[in-house]
Amino acid sequence: MLIMIDRKQKIWRKITVYFGNYRNGVLLFATVSYIIAFIIRCDPSSRMTGRVLLVSNSVLWSLKLVDYMRVFRQLGPYVTMAAEMIPRMLPILAMLFVSLLSFGLVREAITYPYEEWHWLLLRNIFFKPYFMLYGEVYAPEIDTCGDELWDAHIDEGVPIHSGLLNVTREGCVPGYFVAPLFMTVFMLIANVLLMNTMVACCTYVFEHNVENTQEIWLFERYAQVMEFDSTPFLPPPLTILYHLYWLFRWLRVRNFSRKNLLDASLKLFLSDEEVERIHSFEEECIEDMEKEKDIRKQSSNDERIHRTAERSDQILNRVNVIENAVRSDVRNLDLLLKAMETRHVSFCIRFEGLPSSL
């Protein structure tokens, strides 16, 4: 209601903000479905249908207990972790659904080739393959034709290829050996690969958040306080009275321009010491955010390229300095060699000019 009476936002923006919180959408769906189920149950001809709908609707209200668990220090972080695990599992669940569909379709079509269409056939495609994920492999139904031949061979002591086995061959449908092969591939992909990948994703989420359980609990508790402050204190469907009350207050504000009537937000009165602690906490959060930004900036590819270019320029400058120094030393050495050569020539000339008697 507080969102809807805000004049600064458009109506569609208000609706988007309100239903952006999944709790509001679930609560609306639970309330509407409850009213519909209650109306259906009031009709004697559809009493049992309404009862089934009401029982199914009770699941949504039972899940509200999970929201209440968020405020507990021991349970709150785990509820948040579980909520974070669900979207991470969706891609794996999609691949798991494809594997269930592919194997279940092959198994049902080959094992029962003469069945006429019925909705139970669609159920059977997923029914038994789904329970195979949990270890129920339905061993007697894997290869009924081969099992019948082998059991008759063991009981009668007759070779399998002799043609004298007393078997009915009811399970020997065309392509009966294909379903066990697909089952082998399905069990490897679904049970070994996808299920373990799902467990690994959940483990990653748990290890990533287990160190921040205190912060998670504090934020969840704050969110719960703000949510229950902005929701009616009456349970559904009596919330209509609360909304009518706020509608009446909104009309008074609109007519008399008394805007302070709608000021129903939480008020927090803190001491100077508590305010200082909050400011210190905000400064620490800002510093941590700046450090994280610097780390991300330094680890980015552009920053790496920039640092590499700077280091290359520094190395090139050093090489130029060394090259100039070497050239200067070589030039000085060349001058020294020329001076020594000149002295040597002059010494030789003087030595040749001396008398031979000496």
Side-chain angles (χ1 to χ4, degrees):
M1 178 60 71
L2 295 178
I3 297 176
M4 299 304 294
I5 61 180
D6 188 4
R7 298 180 180 179
K8 297 180 181 180
Q9 298 181 0
K10 296 181 180 180
I11 183 64
W12 291 111
R13 176 60 180 170
K14 297 175 184 178
I15 296 175
T16 303
V17 171
Y18 181 79
F19 289 104
N21 187 350
Y22 77 95
R23 297 187 184 95
N24 297 329
V26 173
L27 182 61
L28 178 63
F29 176 75
T31 305
V32 173
S33 60
Y34 175 83
I35 295 174
I36 295 174
F38 182 79
I39 295 174
I40 295 175
R41 182 169 171 77
C42 291
D43 187 2
S45 61
S46 59
R47 182 179 298 273
M48 294 306 298
T49 302
R51 181 179 181 277
V52 172
L53 293 176
L54 286 175
V55 172
S56 302
N57 179 265
S58 65
V59 176
L60 299 176
W61 299 106
S62 300
L63 291 177
K64 288 291 292 182
L65 296 175
V66 178
D67 289 338
Y68 302 144
M69 293 178 182
R70 289 175 178 265
V71 299
F72 294 99
R73 185 190 300 269
Q74 292 79 12
L75 296 177
Y78 295 103
V79 174
T80 304
M81 293 178 193
E84 187 176 348
M85 291 175 186
I86 293 175
R88 289 181 177 271
M89 290 192 303
L90 291 179
I92 303 175
L93 291 177
M95 293 187 292
L96 193 60
F97 173 79
V98 172
S99 62
L100 283 172
L101 175 62
S102 58
F103 168 66
L105 187 61
V106 171
R107 180 180 180 276
E108 189 70 15
I110 292 179
T111 307
Y112 307 101
Y114 307 112
E115 293 289 339
E116 296 182 358
W117 162 251
H118 194 274
W119 287 106
L120 284 177
L121 298 178
L122 185 61
R123 184 213 67 166
N124 293 340
I125 291 176
F126 299 97
F127 184 71
K128 291 184 178 180
Y130 175 76
F131 286 100
M132 288 180 183
L133 297 175
Y134 304 102
E136 179 59 57
V137 295
Y138 301 97
E141 302 179 11
I142 295 177
D143 186 6
T144 55
C145 180
D147 291 342
E148 184 182 12
L149 291 174
W150 183 257
D151 293 340
H153 161 67
I154 296 298
D155 295 338
E156 300 176 8
V158 180
I160 298 178
H161 298 289
S162 63
L164 301 177
L165 294 175
N166 185 16
V167 293
T168 60
R169 294 184 178 271
E170 293 180 356
C172 297
V173 295
Y176 67 91
F177 58 89
V178 176
L181 296 178
F182 275 90
M183 179 180 176
T184 304
V185 178
F186 167 74
M187 297 297 287
L188 288 174
I189 294 177
N191 286 46
V192 178
L193 179 61
L194 297 180
M195 296 296 285
N196 289 329
T197 304
M198 191 180 303
V199 173
C201 290
C202 296
T203 303
Y204 171 78
V205 173
F206 178 81
E207 293 178 351
H208 183 70
N209 295 326
V210 70
E211 298 179 356
N212 303 321
T213 54
Q214 179 70 14
E215 290 78 4
I216 293 174
W217 170 69
L218 291 174
F219 279 110
E220 289 297 333
R221 187 176 182 181
Y222 170 77
Q224 285 289 333
V225 171
M226 297 303 298
E227 179 186 358
F228 285 106
D229 176 72
S230 61
T231 54
F233 62 91
L234 296 174
L238 300 179
T239 52
I240 186 65
L241 301 177
Y242 181 83
H243 294 307
L244 291 175
Y245 167 72
W246 275 103
L247 180 61
F248 173 73
R249 296 190 65 177
W250 177 71
L251 291 175
R252 291 185 62 187
V253 170
R254 189 173 183 180
N255 293 333
F256 301 103
S257 299
R258 298 169 62 183
K259 297 182 180 180
N260 57 343
L261 287 175
L262 296 178
D263 188 9
S265 59
L266 283 176
K267 302 297 187 300
L268 183 62
F269 302 96
L270 301 176
S271 62
D272 295 338
E273 182 181 357
E274 292 174 338
V275 172
E276 184 178 357
R277 291 175 60 186
I278 290 178
H279 290 168
S280 301
F281 173 74
E282 292 176 349
E283 292 176 357
E284 292 177 359
C285 291
I286 293 175
E287 291 178 358
D288 294 339
M289 184 180 66
E290 293 295 335
K291 291 180 181 179
E292 186 176 356
K293 286 184 178 180
D294 293 338
I295 293 174
R296 291 180 180 178
K297 184 178 179 181
Q298 293 177 1
S299 61
S300 62
N301 294 330
D302 295 338
E303 184 65 22
R304 290 178 181 176
I305 294 173
H306 181 68
R307 291 202 306 269
T308 304
E310 290 182 351
R311 292 175 182 175
S312 301
D313 293 338
Q314 294 176 0
I315 294 173
L316 183 61
N317 292 332
R318 291 181 181 178
V319 170
N320 292 332
V321 172
I322 294 173
E323 183 180 1
N324 294 331
V326 170
R327 287 181 179 179
S328 178
D329 293 339
V330 170
R331 191 180 300 109
N332 294 332
L333 182 61
D334 189 25
L335 293 176
L336 290 175
L337 290 175
K338 288 182 179 180
M340 291 177 63
E341 185 178 359
T342 303
R343 291 177 183 178
H344 180 70
V345 171
S346 61
F347 178 77
C348 291
I349 293 173
R350 290 179 182 179
F351 183 77
E352 291 177 355
L354 292 176
S356 58
S357 59
L358 295 176

